[in-house]
Amino acid sequence: LKKKYLFGIAAVAIAVLAFAFIIPDLIKNSPYSPEHGLSEDDTIAVHEPKTEYGIIVDSLEVLNAEIQNGDFLGDILDDYGISATMLDQVLKSSKNIFDVRKIRVGNPYTLIYKEDSVKRCEYFVYELNKVDYITLCFCDSVYAYLSHKPVERDTISTSGVIESSLYEALDDAGSSPELALKLANVYAWTVDFYIVQKGDAFKAIYVEEFVEGESVGIKEILCANFNYYGKDIYAFRFQQDSLTDPEYFDSEGNSLRRAFLKMPLEFGRMTSPYNKNRFHPVLKYNKPHLGTDYAAPSGTPILATGDGTVIEASYTSGNGNYVKIKHNSVYTTQYLHMKGFASGIKKGVHVAQGDVIGYVGSTGLATGPHVCYRFWKNGSQVDPRKEELPSAEPIIESNREKFEALKGKWMEKLGEIGEKPV
Ligand SMILES: [Zn+2]
């Protein structure tokens, strides 16, 4: 503390002296003093230091490049006077923020170095992605730090009318294919994008992120409306509580997410529907088919259509390898003819919607690789394609007022979007 005071006093003393003696003298001799007057050519040059990634590079050399196939960080830095020991030291200090084995071909990097008789690297900057970058410092001390470029967020409105597909309509509206994927996700349980028809229309308000004026992706869809076969299906993003992720709710406050997927395969072809009077292809007599068959290549992953507990993972001569899942007191599903179970799938295991439980095969009474999907409601087998499948949890009462306010605001904004894209 004492030292600080001494410096303070010294600084004040120097300042006083400067005002008293030096500055008036400078003014007298300066070209800007009233005696000289300002000529028109005189401009006051303000020196703006040149920076790269926040580092002042005025007295340094800068090389911008990209990681090439076969590049090793050690080789790149070796040419700039960085020994393997120094690199090792900096990598040790940065092991929680940077994995050198994961440097990717095509990612930009920047070498900031001194050039005297030899080149000597002071800073090495590597862009992990469009937002995050790591700086390795080889100055007086060796260390590393992670930084982020400023991300700007824009709220964007879009709309379109479908001529042939959602992707094409979005492309016409000047939106990215990423938006089509995000919209398809929001409506995955309510709209079948394979059977959208000409004249279906959509509107959406979403947040897109930009770095240095360039889009780095869509952050989230805030709200949307899909007019599907003449019916408006709204989607409002809302977070029910801090422990769960935000979800999309319709204008009634029902979740757009269903408790069940439409089918147990990501892509599959329905080959035999639920049918109470069906001629069995193997047994050669009429036997009701109380499941729905989806054909897919052998080995295609089979997904749990809802959250639940595996109550059977077993084999019978008719079913082949099969898994049965109890979802709650009302619903149970079963998946037959599997080639095999996914690892860890056995009786008592809890599975989440979309988890892989096994693989398509043709074990048991089957003519070719397919999955027979069976669906029980209150103990009897029903056709899931004809069931009003239950939604995930709707807006809870204590959130109702907040949700209605948000919905009102977004309905108004959606109403302001023109049908035709600008
Ligand atoms: Zn079947």
Side-chain angles (χ1 to χ4, degrees):
L1 270 176
K2 264 188 181 161
K3 216 173 183 183
K4 233 185 198 170
Y5 276 121
L6 281 176
F7 273 117
I9 290 162
V12 169
I14 289 166
V16 168
L17 283 170
F19 273 105
F21 302 103
I22 303 162
I23 290 173
D25 217 42
L26 278 177
I27 290 171
K28 212 190 279 166
N29 298 319
S30 131
Y32 307 112
S33 67
E35 281 137 81
H36 287 81
L38 266 175
S39 84
E40 286 195 354
D41 297 337
D42 289 328
T43 50
I44 302 163
V46 179
H47 178 73
E48 284 251 6
K50 196 167 164 285
T51 63
E52 289 264 346
Y53 299 97
I55 298 160
I56 297 172
V57 294
D58 280 341
S59 57
L60 298 166
E61 305 294 322
V62 176
L63 174 89
N64 295 305
E66 279 177 9
I67 302 288
Q68 304 294 313
N69 221 335
D71 270 355
F72 287 101
L73 189 54
D75 295 342
I76 296 171
L77 288 171
D78 186 52
D79 293 343
Y80 289 81
I82 302 301
S83 66
T85 320
M86 281 175 89
L87 178 61
D88 199 47
Q89 198 182 335
V90 79
L91 292 179
K92 259 185 197 141
S93 78
S94 65
K95 69 168 185 253
N96 293 325
I97 50 173
F98 176 53
D99 184 348
V100 68
R101 290 163 304 178
K102 287 190 181 153
I103 63 167
R104 283 208 303 260
V105 171
N107 281 27
Y109 68 86
T110 298
L111 276 159
I112 299 170
Y113 60 97
K114 262 193 186 134
E115 184 151 31
D116 300 322
S117 53
V118 286
K119 291 172 181 166
R120 168 71 168 75
C121 178
E122 298 257 299
Y123 301 94
F124 177 84
V125 182
Y126 171 74
E127 294 198 4
L128 297 161
N129 51 53
K130 283 175 179 167
V131 179
D132 310 310
Y133 60 92
I134 183 137
T135 307
L136 309 181
C137 308
F138 303 99
C139 311
D140 299 334
S141 57
V142 174
Y143 59 98
Y145 58 88
L146 183 67
S147 316
H148 320 280
K149 294 183 189 176
V151 176
E152 279 175 30
R153 286 182 181 172
D154 245 349
T155 303
I156 299 169
S157 301
T158 187
S159 68
V161 179
I162 288 171
E163 284 296 323
S164 62
S165 74
L166 175 66
Y167 292 86
E168 203 176 296
L170 280 165
D171 195 46
D172 287 347
S175 304
S176 75
E178 194 191 351
L179 184 61
L181 286 176
K182 286 242 162 40
L183 265 179
N185 246 326
V186 169
Y187 287 107
W189 285 268
T190 41
V191 171
D192 187 338
F193 284 98
Y194 289 104
I195 56 163
V196 290
Q197 60 170 6
K198 192 176 167 175
D200 283 346
F202 65 88
K203 291 175 174 184
I205 300 175
Y206 61 95
V207 176
E208 190 161 357
E209 294 188 320
F210 296 87
V211 168
E212 292 162 348
E214 195 189 326
S215 174
V216 291
I218 290 165
K219 170 90 177 134
E220 65 216 5
I221 291 175
L222 299 169
C223 61
N225 180 23
F226 201 90
N227 188 277
Y228 188 51
Y229 287 78
K231 192 180 155 208
D232 281 327
I233 307 172
Y234 284 97
F236 303 102
R237 185 186 162 89
F238 188 84
Q239 189 169 17
Q240 295 252 55
D241 64 73
S242 58
L243 296 174
T244 56
D245 288 336
E247 278 191 57
Y248 292 89
F249 298 89
D250 66 13
S251 52
E252 315 268 85
N254 291 318
S255 175
L256 283 187
R257 192 165 63 80
R258 293 288 174 264
F260 292 95
L261 297 174
K262 281 186 171 164
M263 60 177 183
L265 301 174
E266 207 162 342
F267 296 100
R269 190 167 48 89
M270 190 183 65
T271 46
S272 173
Y274 176 97
N275 181 355
K276 284 188 173 161
N277 310 294
R278 177 234 208 179
F279 183 75
H280 197 280
V282 179
L283 299 172
K284 309 288 182 195
Y285 58 81
N286 272 348
K287 185 178 188 275
H289 183 231
L290 301 180
T292 310
D293 290 346
Y294 294 95
S298 176
T300 303
I302 297 171
L303 316 175
T305 54
D307 294 3
T309 305
V310 174
I311 53 169
E312 289 171 41
S314 171
Y315 177 89
T316 64
S317 56
N319 292 350
N321 295 314
Y322 71 96
V323 169
K324 195 168 187 178
I325 300 172
K326 186 179 161 74
H327 300 282
N328 52 36
S329 59
V330 178
Y331 296 103
T332 303
T333 57
Q334 195 183 25
Y335 313 75
L336 313 185
H337 313 305
M338 289 178 169
K339 186 179 183 181
F341 306 129
S343 83
I345 294 299
K346 56 175 195 253
K347 190 178 168 178
V349 165
H350 184 83
V351 291
Q353 183 178 67
D355 280 357
V356 176
I357 52 171
Y359 302 93
V360 170
S362 49
T363 57
L365 277 179
T367 47
H370 78 283
V371 57
C372 181
Y373 177 51
R374 295 181 171 181
F375 195 94
W376 279 266
K377 184 180 181 182
N378 293 319
S380 54
Q381 267 181 277
V382 296
D383 183 354
R385 291 165 57 249
K386 299 227 169 84
E387 286 295 307
E388 263 300 314
L389 291 179
S391 302
E393 195 180 25
I395 291 289
I396 55 174
E397 241 7 80
S398 55
N399 280 335
R400 182 54 75 169
E401 202 176 324
K402 213 171 135 198
F403 174 74
E404 289 297 330
L406 185 91
K407 177 184 119 185
K409 179 185 124 182
W410 287 132
M411 286 282 242
E412 200 184 318
K413 296 257 185 215
L414 284 168
E416 288 165 6
I417 306 172
E419 293 285 331
K420 284 259 150 63
V422 211

